[in-house]
Amino acid sequence: MSDTAGDDRPATVKCLVWDLDNTLWQGTLLEDEQVALADEVRKVVIELDSRGILQSVSSKNDHDHAWARLEALGVAEYFVLPQIGWGAKSDAVRRIADRLNFAHSAIAFIDDQPAERAEVAFHLPEVRGYPAEQALDLPGLPEFTPATSTVDSRRRRAMYQAGFRREAERAEAAGPDEEFLRSLDMVMRIGRATGEELSRVEELTLRTSQMNATGVHYSDARLRSLLADPDHEVLVVTLTDRFGPHGAVGVLLLERHPEMWHLKLLATSCRVVSYGAGATLLNWLADAAAGAGAHLVADFRATERNRMMEIAYRFAGFDDQPCPCAAGLSDDAETSGAAAGAAAGSGADGLQRLHLVPEARPASTTLRLEAPALFV
């Protein structure tokens, strides 16, 4: 029933899409305007929300009528991007996944009608389907049990909802996009990870695939060991603006070598790509390395989904020309053979070492950056 992550536990569901009639609530709205929501189902909705699993709706109903009932039942706020209408449910689920920028394998769908589940499965075979009678069991399933629970995961829905408001205002804004970005009053903070923040770092490497430069997940134990190493920097990136916090949006793992800094991992949230987060981080790092007189070597391993990260590196000036400064670099246990199905590349497992001779870079004109001096 569930897709797997290639190890001993299923990949975590990022968004559950609910049918309404005889699934979320008891009865059919067109036949009974007072359809009821069982307390046990309400508890499931609240519990999944607390775990950072987004929830949406795909229902064949009149939109205004159904949404009014969700509001009357006190659960409308828990559902993002509801798709209520008369079209195919596979189309609705696809729109939700596309808008969230989630892989289909990160989406689950629950419906009381076998024909509707079959229609979604036929058109979207990676989406996981569940019958309505399994609703109360969902919190106990491993795919609905994220490995970590953080401040960011507990407020994920609110951050996405703020993001939708932000994007709506952006779409309506007149003038150059740079002016709108400046109007957001964005503040990016780069800080050294503490023991308490490591779960946020681990979660980001788990959830981010399109903007993870190596496709690698660093375990909590490994990250904790690096915190105590003076030659490593484990950095967490957060972003806020006038709409509220974006939460943790990036992680960098940097190792110092003589005359060279080795960027072992860069992962950023897909939600902040269009705000220039990746470019800002790489420019800041290049500027810092230039000030220290150090070259930069960045690990990159192509996966099926991280082409955008390679573009970010290339745009920042990294190339694949060999440099003596990278001679002798070894792989961490996590990076050695880590990405199953990785594309062929420079190393045996597709690992490439991109190189940059950095120069001073100008500060961002669209956000304020607060960052530490590195390796001091």
Side-chain angles (χ1 to χ4, degrees):
M1 177 176 295
S2 301
D3 297 337
T4 61
D7 54 20
D8 59 352
R9 63 176 288 126
T12 302
V13 169
K14 294 183 180 181
C15 179
L16 172 64
V17 181
W18 290 84
D19 171 47
L20 295 180
D21 291 334
N22 294 307
T23 302
L24 181 74
W25 56 48
Q26 300 166 322
T28 301
L29 186 61
L30 289 176
E31 299 174 357
D32 179 7
E33 292 191 356
Q34 299 304 312
V35 290
L37 175 65
D39 288 341
E40 294 81 2
V41 174
R42 184 189 300 271
K43 290 176 181 177
V44 169
V45 171
I46 294 172
E47 175 60 26
L48 296 181
D49 181 74
S50 74
R51 298 181 184 185
I53 296 172
L54 300 178
Q55 295 169 88
S56 188
V57 169
S58 173
S59 174
K60 290 182 177 177
N61 264 299
D62 175 76
H63 178 277
D64 293 345
H65 192 190
W67 190 249
R69 190 58 189 158
L70 287 168
E71 291 179 323
L73 292 169
V75 292
E77 64 181 298
Y78 289 98
F79 300 106
V80 301
L81 303 174
Q83 304 293 308
I84 304 172
W86 303 104
K89 291 196 173 183
S90 61
D91 291 339
V93 173
R94 182 183 289 107
R95 286 193 296 270
I96 293 166
D98 289 349
R99 183 75 188 279
L100 291 173
N101 203 21
F102 286 175
H104 292 172
S105 59
I107 305 293
F109 173 67
I110 184 166
D111 196 298
D112 67 306
Q113 294 294 320
E116 297 288 16
R117 298 197 303 272
E119 191 270 335
V120 171
F122 179 81
H123 292 285
L124 305 172
E126 291 185 278
V127 171
R128 285 168 274 194
Y130 301 83
E133 56 266 27
Q134 202 172 358
L136 302 188
D137 300 329
L138 297 183
L141 299 179
E143 60 264 40
F144 291 91
T145 308
T148 59
S149 177
T150 67
V151 172
D152 286 351
S153 65
R154 290 188 290 274
R155 62 185 180 187
R156 179 163 290 117
R157 169 176 51 86
M159 291 193 295
Y160 269 87
Q161 289 168 332
F164 298 143
R165 294 193 297 272
R166 188 182 292 114
E167 289 297 332
E169 185 170 316
R170 186 179 195 174
E172 295 175 358
D177 194 51
E178 188 171 342
E179 290 184 6
F180 171 75
L181 294 179
R182 282 196 292 268
S183 78
L184 290 176
D185 299 325
M186 290 187 291
V187 179
M188 176 180 283
R189 294 181 175 89
I190 304 171
R192 292 184 172 90
T194 64
E196 293 181 354
E197 289 179 314
L198 285 187
S199 60
R200 300 170 83 186
V201 174
E202 186 180 19
E203 183 190 35
L204 192 60
T205 65
L206 279 168
R207 294 182 67 89
T208 302
S209 58
Q210 289 186 346
M211 296 301 289
N212 184 321
T214 61
V216 167
H217 161 57
Y218 279 83
S219 68
D220 181 84
R222 178 58 175 152
L223 290 169
R224 288 184 185 279
S225 71
L226 295 177
L227 288 183
D229 184 345
D231 287 331
H232 276 87
E233 296 274 15
V234 183
L235 303 169
V236 179
V237 184
T238 60
L239 187 68
T240 60
D241 64 25
R242 59 184 171 86
F243 286 92
H246 294 255
V249 299
V251 55
L252 297 90
L253 178 57
L254 197 63
E255 183 179 17
R256 176 173 56 185
H257 292 267
E259 302 181 352
M260 182 268 289
W261 292 355
H262 180 195
L263 182 57
K264 294 181 174 180
L265 174 67
L266 172 62
T268 64
S269 170
C270 299
R271 292 180 289 111
V272 295
V273 170
S274 65
Y275 297 94
T280 298
L281 287 172
L282 288 173
N283 283 337
W284 165 74
L285 186 59
D287 188 69
H295 288 201
L296 280 174
V297 172
D299 285 356
F300 176 76
R301 181 188 286 103
T303 69
E304 292 180 354
R305 290 175 56 80
N306 70 351
R307 173 64 176 164
M308 292 171 64
M309 184 59 80
E310 181 176 17
I311 293 172
Y313 274 135
R314 301 294 187 181
F315 192 76
F318 286 84
D319 61 41
D320 51 11
Q321 297 301 311
C323 179
C325 71
L329 286 181
S330 60
D331 295 342
D332 280 349
E334 286 89 349
T335 64
S336 184
S346 300
D349 63 351
L351 180 66
Q352 301 176 54
R353 292 249 155 86
L354 305 179
H355 178 259
L356 175 68
V357 180
E359 298 177 348
R361 303 283 177 96
S364 171
T365 62
T366 59
L367 59 79
R368 178 164 57 88
L369 182 64
E370 298 177 3
L374 296 178
F375 298 115
V376 295

